[in-house]
């Protein structure tokens, strides 16, 4: 948990610095003779704020084929435990559909074949789990942004919620179902993809077949596996614990930036 707290703190300090720098730069409260040091520190604040702001759009590092980890751990759910998923797996996901609904112009469903026909992106990236392990893998899938652009979002759209097939915790009310969410900055980030292949092969069940999210600037638990439905929302308040994700409802940070 330390890593998350640290990065969250960095993010919040960044916003505060940004506001301070804007106040210093915008209002001309400093006389020119107030001293170069003050101006220089204001400039540094502005620069830091810029870096942090630009940071959201910056690319995650990409690696070479030779860097791919020989073994990539499977973590969390390794196989959704439902009849519905078992049936989908039996048909090799021929009957599986990704539903995209909520604050969209026209809700749509995509089969795996549909998704594989769309322009794809392949990226070799490092996955960092908060439990303290990392692995490098090659992911291929459809950029989420291009999918959302083709469907069209309503003006009130703010977040994409990914609903998964697995219950990580068995509960009577279903609140143990895995889900995650990202904002539109991450949804439209060029490396945010819905991956159907890993290391050149169809995604295995352990790694989230048939489809998982890769949102490369965030920690492992944001990388939702077994994605069944993407719901576009303007808030999480109506969803389970209201914090935007399975682990978020259990105390983890919503923005798990790395
Ligand atoms: N649906 C679902 N997605 C999930 C999880 C899960 O339990 N269920 N675990 C998360 C965590 S904590 C990590 S580290 C990664 C693990 O992905 P992997 O099994 O491909 O290594 O998936 C994330 N996405
Ligand atoms: Mo994780």
């Amino acid at each position: 948990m330390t890593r998350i707290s640290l990065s969250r703190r960095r993010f919040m300090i960044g916003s505060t610095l940004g506001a301070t720098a804007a106040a210093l730069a915008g209002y001309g409260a400093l006389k020119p003779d107030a001293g170069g040091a003050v101006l220089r520190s204001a400039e540094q604040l502005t620069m830091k704020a810029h870096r942090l702001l630009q940071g959201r759009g910056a690319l995650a590092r990409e690696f070479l084929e030779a860097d791919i980890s020989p073994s990539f751990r499977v973590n969390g759910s390794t196989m959704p435990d439902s009849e519905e998923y078992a049936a989908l797996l039996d048909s090799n996901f021929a009957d599986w559909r990704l539903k995209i609904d909520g604050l969209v112009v026209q809700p749509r469903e995509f089969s795996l074949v549909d998704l594989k026909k769309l322009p794809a992106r392949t990226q070799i990236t490092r996955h960092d789990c908060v439990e303290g392990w990392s692995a490098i893998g090659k992911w291929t899938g459809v950029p989420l942004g291009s999918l959302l652009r083709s469907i069209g979002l309503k003006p009130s759209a703010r977040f994409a919620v990914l609903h998964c097939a697995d219950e990580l915790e068995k509960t009577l009310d279903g609140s143990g179902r895995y889900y995650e969410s990202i904002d539109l900055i991450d949804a439209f980030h060029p490396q945010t993809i819905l991956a159907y292949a890993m290391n050149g092969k169809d995604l295995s069940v352990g790694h989230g077949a048939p489809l998982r999210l890769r949102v490369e600037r965030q920690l492992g638990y944001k990388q939702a596996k077994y994605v069944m439905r993407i719901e576009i929302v303007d808030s999480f308040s109506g969803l389970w614990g209201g914090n935007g994700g399975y682990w978020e409802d259990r105390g983890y940070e919503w923005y798990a930036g790395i």
Side-chain angles (χ1 to χ4, degrees):
M1 290 306 297
T2 328
R3 289 194 57 181
I4 293 188
S5 316
L6 280 178
S7 60
R8 175 64 177 176
R9 216 169 290 140
R10 215 175 50 204
F11 185 68
M12 291 192 327
I13 290 170
S15 315
T16 317
L17 286 181
T20 314
L24 286 174
Y27 293 92
L30 294 171
K31 296 191 189 109
D33 59 352
V38 179
L39 288 173
R40 263 196 305 281
S41 76
E43 183 194 338
Q44 274 190 4
L45 287 175
T46 310
M47 187 183 73
K48 280 184 191 161
H50 266 245
R51 279 211 186 131
L52 283 157
L53 291 174
Q54 283 172 351
R56 288 297 310 278
L59 297 179
R61 178 168 172 203
E62 294 193 20
F63 296 80
L64 303 173
E65 296 268 345
D67 301 318
I68 293 174
S69 302
S71 82
F72 195 119
R73 192 163 137 180
V74 159
N75 206 38
S77 293
T78 54
M79 165 91 167
D81 175 23
S82 73
E83 280 175 27
E84 190 195 352
Y85 185 84
L88 291 170
L89 179 58
D90 264 356
S91 72
N92 206 17
F93 301 107
D95 302 325
W96 172 91
R97 295 290 180 274
L98 171 70
K99 297 179 188 65
I100 306 188
D101 60 9
L103 300 170
V104 295
V105 176
Q106 180 68 53
R108 276 190 62 185
E109 293 193 355
F110 297 87
S111 70
L112 207 48
V113 176
D114 294 337
L115 292 177
K116 287 182 174 176
K117 280 187 197 146
L118 296 172
R121 184 173 210 282
T122 293
Q123 59 206 29
I124 302 175
T125 53
R126 197 184 65 213
H127 175 107
D128 294 308
C129 173
V130 67
E131 290 165 23
W133 58 274
S134 299
I136 294 175
K138 178 165 89 170
W139 305 98
T140 302
V142 185
L144 177 57
S146 57
L147 212 54
L148 295 181
R149 217 171 274 122
S150 78
I151 295 176
L153 299 182
K154 292 196 171 160
S156 51
R158 288 191 63 199
F159 306 102
V161 178
L162 301 111
H163 295 280
C164 307
D166 58 313
E167 271 181 282
L168 191 50
E169 184 188 334
K170 290 280 171 198
T171 58
L172 291 175
D173 64 354
S175 61
R177 188 165 290 262
Y178 207 90
Y179 75 107
E180 256 307 335
S181 61
I182 55 176
D183 63 16
L184 294 187
I185 299 178
D186 269 336
F188 284 90
H189 186 285
Q191 289 169 319
T192 297
I193 63 174
L194 295 170
Y196 46 71
M198 177 189 185
N199 297 342
K201 295 190 203 104
D202 281 351
L203 211 54
S204 67
V205 170
H207 289 298
L211 195 73
R212 80 168 311 159
L213 179 70
R214 292 302 310 173
V215 49
E216 303 291 358
R217 299 290 314 280
Q218 295 207 54
L219 285 170
Y221 63 89
K222 301 296 288 190
Q223 323 295 325
K225 307 194 278 190
Y226 318 110
V227 176
M228 305 295 283
R229 173 180 170 220
I230 298 177
E231 182 186 10
I232 306 300
V233 299
D234 57 3
S235 104
F236 319 128
S237 57
L239 285 162
W240 304 122
N243 301 297
Y246 174 93
W247 284 113
E248 289 83 336
D249 285 339
R250 288 155 182 80
Y252 282 48
E253 301 296 340
W254 175 77
Y255 187 77
I258 43 177

